[in-house]
Amino acid sequence: MLARLDEALGGLDQPTMDGINTYFVSWAAREVGLKVALSGLGGDELFAGYKTFTDVPRMANLVRAAYFVPAALRGALSPLIKSLAGQKNSPDAARKAAAAWSQPDRLPNPYFYARALFPLGTLETLIEPRFRPSTINADGVTLDPTWLGWLERASDESRKMEPVAGIRGWRCGRIWPARFARYGFGEHGAFVGSARSTAGYTAGEFVSALPDETRRVPDQQKALLTESLGDLLPAEILGQRKRTFTLPWEQWLRGPLKGRLAASFAEPASALAAQLKPNALTTVGMIF
């Protein structure tokens, strides 16, 4: 994989956190002569399998509580919130919880605090955030919203839904078209995609219409799917914890790719360097 990494990165037309996985799956499928490979894309969104479905409601409770606390007191309590959140979560999740507590009105939906690549506060150490004015659309009347306006409009739509349905809407309606749909086709000729048959759509429509309590059970991932297959699969499979398809990036970046990463940080592309604060990329390395 490391030997083919430059080839994989060269095939990307936009930054992505997951496309490399699909690239190597497509390559492996092509190597064994497959033209199509059926994946599980969409299953976690449909059956609430991601940790996000638990994290976002908790983040929402934290944000609601923060509104009742004066800003100065929130700032003083932020280290405590970060410490408490870090007891059962990653350091990154703890930083995001502290940011949501300190600045509950900075983003229009708790989902953004949970899913942000850089928590609030960290972002300002990298760039100077700029907000473009709204522009007039081609019709000469309506406005093309800023990115923050777009988030606010989308958040208004999600508030009309139950939590699970709202989170699914964010992922399937907005993240999927921008990310997953773009790299679902493998560079090496194998298509890696989810079930797009009539049966797949019918099941998706049916499950999407169900209330939250039927799709999410505390401490049980994909509860509805597990229950529906309970008499078809062995208990040792049903009882397994969720296993993610994650490449060992941390080991690579701290090991064989460390030199290349340091060189890239030292001399970022000119278009990117113009947007960054001095030594911003070095700061990222120290934080993460």
Side-chain angles (χ1 to χ4, degrees):
M1 287 186 176
L2 289 176
R4 303 181 67 93
L5 192 57
D6 285 336
E7 178 184 331
L9 292 173
L12 299 177
D13 63 353
Q14 68 177 23
T16 172
M17 299 169 65
D18 301 289
I20 301 296
N21 296 16
T22 304
Y23 183 92
F24 284 118
V25 168
S26 302
W27 169 74
R30 174 73 179 274
E31 287 294 297
V32 297
L34 297 178
K35 296 296 184 182
V36 177
L38 184 64
S39 79
L41 284 175
D44 282 304
E45 284 81 5
L46 196 59
F47 295 102
Y50 285 123
K51 194 171 181 289
T52 306
F53 287 93
T54 300
D55 291 345
V56 172
R58 289 175 179 170
M59 193 74 77
N61 291 335
L62 182 65
V63 168
R64 281 194 291 268
Y67 277 119
F68 294 97
V69 181
L73 183 56
R74 290 201 308 268
L77 293 176
S78 184
L80 175 61
I81 296 296
K82 182 177 179 181
S83 176
L84 293 174
Q87 291 179 1
K88 294 185 178 181
N89 299 285
S90 67
D92 181 55
R95 285 189 289 266
K96 292 174 180 178
W101 169 261
S102 300
Q103 304 177 63
D105 54 354
R106 182 72 180 278
L107 295 175
N109 193 287
Y111 180 88
F112 303 126
Y113 290 98
R115 294 292 297 171
L117 184 58
F118 296 105
L120 297 176
T122 302
L123 182 63
E124 285 78 0
T125 67
L126 306 176
I127 63 173
E128 195 67 51
R130 297 180 177 89
F131 301 93
R132 67 165 176 81
S134 294
T135 55
I136 299 178
N137 283 318
D139 60 13
V141 179
T142 58
L143 292 178
D144 177 30
T146 64
W147 68 270
L148 187 58
W150 181 87
L151 295 181
E152 289 173 341
R153 185 170 63 185
S155 296
D156 289 339
E157 297 175 6
S158 70
R159 291 190 185 97
K160 303 172 185 176
M161 308 175 186
E162 292 184 286
V164 170
I167 295 169
R168 177 187 174 276
W170 276 112
R171 295 191 61 87
C172 293
R174 293 167 178 85
I175 296 179
W176 265 60
R179 288 174 54 193
F180 297 135
R182 295 180 67 91
Y183 58 68
F185 292 88
E187 170 74 13
H188 297 282
F191 169 64
V192 181
S194 55
R196 290 184 168 86
S197 63
T198 302
Y201 277 120
T202 301
E205 291 174 354
F206 173 76
V207 175
S208 297
L210 296 175
D212 273 10
E213 60 265 22
T214 64
R215 283 193 280 172
R216 186 178 64 181
V217 175
D219 301 321
Q220 184 179 353
Q221 293 175 318
K222 300 184 182 179
L224 181 60
L225 181 61
T226 301
E227 182 179 349
S228 65
L229 298 175
D231 58 342
L232 300 176
L233 297 175
E236 56 268 24
I237 292 180
L238 293 174
Q240 286 186 7
R241 295 185 62 83
K242 177 180 173 61
R243 291 180 292 181
T244 60
F245 177 25
T246 305
L247 296 178
W249 286 109
E250 182 174 358
Q251 291 88 333
W252 288 351
L253 294 175
R254 296 181 186 276
L257 296 179
K258 184 176 181 179
R260 293 175 56 182
L261 183 66
S264 176
F265 279 9
E267 296 183 16
S270 56
L272 178 61
Q275 307 298 323
L276 295 173
K277 291 184 176 181
N279 301 319
L281 295 179
T282 304
T283 302
V284 174
M286 290 188 296
I287 293 175
F288 293 97

